[in-house]
């Protein structure tokens, strides 16, 4: 997955741009570009900053832990990006919202897109690559 | 969700210097922030509305007024108070807002614009935008707007997904995260995900760690 190179050589993934907050930002930037208010290069710069800010905020600001179970419908590892499609996923959201112990969230299907974390210890070298 | 607040604030603060370097008008950065926040609010993915004080009261007020006609004016009001700039220059703005709104039928939580849930089919988008903002060809611009976004956006941004109620839709529900570990023994998979954003049933959940157990 494409990554933005940040300052100090740190790399930040771009794929979070597909999230709700990322989409809201890209839509906004699109509008400003379309209306001629800002140049595309500046929009790119904003998105790169978004990659960085989001990654840092996720890493530092989020404490919630969750578990998920379900039936793995498909899996794919390509360029260090895992993609899973899970049927009937059951997420146990610990300590979210107003719920006491953990909210159970289910859906018929969910797609999980996972880029390799900086300190992924295994799963790399293809030893888990399934034919 | 205060994390979203933090992300927006951090991005806006960090790119201020860039806007300056590009010689942008002073009001452009606040305008970007306003647009961003309004769009995010309208997705109702999280209780983000609580953060910006100005927009909270209208949101809760909104819930009591389900009728589309009733809700449009207050929504405008909230935007106006929270972000005056948004209303002014936005050629593509209206359709964009329309999009977000349609896709966000889901929950009753935080119904910033109670009317949206009633306006399920696409025609009402035009109606709505026309009502709330003077936008000549809102309906015409809609498809174009979609095209521009493309990519990952499709998953949770498609117009086709209005009827949130049914979860049958392809990839509305998605998780963005990184993995620490992915292991398989026979058909049992165990994963450790980190730094994730779950978008499920029209809501967002964030996690620092998520352990997955799947059967293939």
């Amino acid at each position: 997955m494409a990554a933005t190179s940040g300052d100090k050589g740190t790399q930040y993934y771009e794929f979070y741009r597909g999230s709700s907050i990322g989409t809201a930002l890209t839509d906004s930037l699109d509008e400003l570009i379309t209306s001629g208010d800002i140049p595309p290069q500046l929009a790119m710069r904003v998105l790169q900053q978004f990659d960085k800010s989001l990654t840092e905020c996720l890493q530092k600001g989020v404490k919630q832990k969750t578990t998920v179970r379900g039936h793995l419908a498909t899996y794919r590892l390509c360029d260090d990006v895992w993609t899973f499609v899970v049927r009937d996923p059951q997420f146990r959201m610990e300590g979210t919202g107003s719920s006491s112990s953990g909210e159970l969230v289910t859906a018929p299907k969910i797609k999980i897109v996972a880029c390799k974390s900086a300190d992924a210890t295994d799963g790399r070298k293809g030893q888990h690559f399934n034919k | 969700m205060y994390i979203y607040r933090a992300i927006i604030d951090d991005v806006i603060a960090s790119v201020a210097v860039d806007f300056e370097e590009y010689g942008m008008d002073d009001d452009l950065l606040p305008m970007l922030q306003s647009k961003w926040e309004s769009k995010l609010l309208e997705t109702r993915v999280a209780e983000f509305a609580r953060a910006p004080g100005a927009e909270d009261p209208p949101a809760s007020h909104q819930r009591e007024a389900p009728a589309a006609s009733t809700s449009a004016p207050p929504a405008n009001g909230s935007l106006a108070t929270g972000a005056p700039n948004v209303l002014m220059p936005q050629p593509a703005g209206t359709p964009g807002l329309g999009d977000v709104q349609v896709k966000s039928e889901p929950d009753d939580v935080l119904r910033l614009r109670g009317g949206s849930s009633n306006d399920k089919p696409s025609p009402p988008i035009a109606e709505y935008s026309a009502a709330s903002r003077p936008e000549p060809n809102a309906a015409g611009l809609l498809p174009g707007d979609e095209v521009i976004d493309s990519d990952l956006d499709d998953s949770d941004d498609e117009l086709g997904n209005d009827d949130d109620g049914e979860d049958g839709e392809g990839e509305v529900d998605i998780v963005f995260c990184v993995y620490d570990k992915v292991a398989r023994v026979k058909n049992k998979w165990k994963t450790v995900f980190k730094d994730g954003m779950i978008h499920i049933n029209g809501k967002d959940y964030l996690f620092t760690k998520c352990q997955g157990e799947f059967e293939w």
Side-chain angles (χ1 to χ4, degrees), chain B residues 97-162:
Chain B
L97 292 172
D99 287 352
V100 178
Q101 200 168 354
V102 170
K103 94 181 172 196
S104 55
E105 314 282 60
D107 25 74
D108 297 296
V109 202
L110 268 194
R111 195 161 294 279
L112 176 61
R113 313 184 168 193
S116 68
S117 63
N118 301 331
D119 306 344
K120 289 216 166 108
S122 38
I125 303 171
E127 251 177 60
Y128 172 78
S129 359
S132 53
R133 293 134 203 250
E135 174 59 32
N137 48 354
L141 285 174
L142 262 170
D145 198 48
E146 278 301 300
V147 171
I148 293 174
D149 304 336
S150 68
D151 287 336
L152 290 164
D153 303 359
D154 289 345
S155 52
D156 54 353
D157 213 11
E158 259 168 9
L159 283 176
N161 297 337
D162 337 359

Side-chain angles (χ1 to χ4, degrees), chain A residues 29-86:
Chain A
L29 290 169
D30 276 343
E31 289 178 14
L32 290 175
I33 292 172
T34 307
S35 60
D37 284 317
I38 64 169
Q41 300 89 327
L42 180 55
M44 289 311 299
R45 165 71 196 115
V46 174
L47 286 173
Q48 287 167 1
Q49 180 60 48
F50 170 78
D51 299 335
K52 178 171 190 280
S53 299
L54 180 134
T55 303
E56 290 174 354
C57 287
L58 273 185
Q59 289 173 349
K60 290 174 194 160
V62 179
K63 304 285 181 245
Q64 288 86 356
K65 293 188 177 172
T66 74
T67 59
V68 57
R69 292 165 180 271
H71 296 286
L72 192 55
T74 62
Y75 54 88
R76 178 168 65 244
L77 174 62
C78 183
D79 291 341
D80 276 340
V81 180
W82 273 106
T83 306
F84 301 99
V85 175
V86 179

Side-chain angles (χ1 to χ4, degrees), chain B:
Chain B
M1 208 179 301
Y2 78 95
I3 291 291
Y4 284 180
R5 178 82 262 151
I7 293 169
I8 291 176
D9 289 347
D10 192 42
V11 170
I12 295 297
S14 303
V15 298
V17 59
D18 299 284
F19 270 66
E20 208 168 303
E21 276 176 21
Y22 276 84
M24 297 289 108
D25 280 348
D26 286 346
D27 61 340
L28 268 172
L29 190 53
M31 189 193 299
L32 172 63
Q33 179 170 5
S34 302
K35 281 175 179 289
W36 189 4
E37 289 176 357
S38 332
K39 287 180 192 300
L40 189 54
L41 270 174
E42 283 156 13
T43 64
R44 294 196 293 273
V45 291
E47 304 196 348
F48 171 77
R50 305 301 148 106
E55 277 146 290
D56 192 11
S60 44
H61 175 58
Q62 223 36 27
R63 259 178 300 189
E64 273 102 60
S69 48
T70 327
S71 56
N76 252 343
S78 76
L79 278 178
T81 39
N85 292 327
V86 179
L87 294 175
M88 308 293 285
Q90 51 165 346
T94 309
L97 292 172
D99 287 352
V100 178
Q101 200 168 354
V102 170
K103 94 181 172 196
S104 55
E105 314 282 60
D107 25 74
D108 297 296
V109 202
L110 268 194
R111 195 161 294 279
L112 176 61
R113 313 184 168 193
S116 68
S117 63
N118 301 331
D119 306 344
K120 289 216 166 108
S122 38
I125 303 171
E127 251 177 60
Y128 172 78
S129 359
S132 53
R133 293 134 203 250
E135 174 59 32
N137 48 354
L141 285 174
L142 262 170
D145 198 48
E146 278 301 300
V147 171
I148 293 174
D149 304 336
S150 68
D151 287 336
L152 290 164
D153 303 359
D154 289 345
S155 52
D156 54 353
D157 213 11
E158 259 168 9
L159 283 176
N161 297 337
D162 337 359
D163 307 308
D164 101 278
E166 54 226 62
D167 325 288
E169 246 88 51
E171 305 186 335
V172 195
D173 295 330
I174 189 164
V175 179
F176 299 95
C177 58
V178 296
Y179 61 86
D180 258 3
K181 186 173 163 184
V182 175
R184 178 191 65 85
V185 176
K186 303 230 175 134
N187 69 331
K188 311 276 189 203
W189 289 71
K190 289 193 177 189
T191 62
V192 178
F193 299 127
K194 287 201 331 188
D195 305 334
M197 313 179 82
I198 307 171
H199 182 79
I200 188 170
N201 301 332
K203 294 197 69 178
D204 278 7
Y205 301 86
L206 306 183
F207 62 77
T208 182
K209 186 178 176 185
C210 174
Q211 286 187 292
E213 291 185 25
F214 312 116
E215 289 178 6
W216 186 71

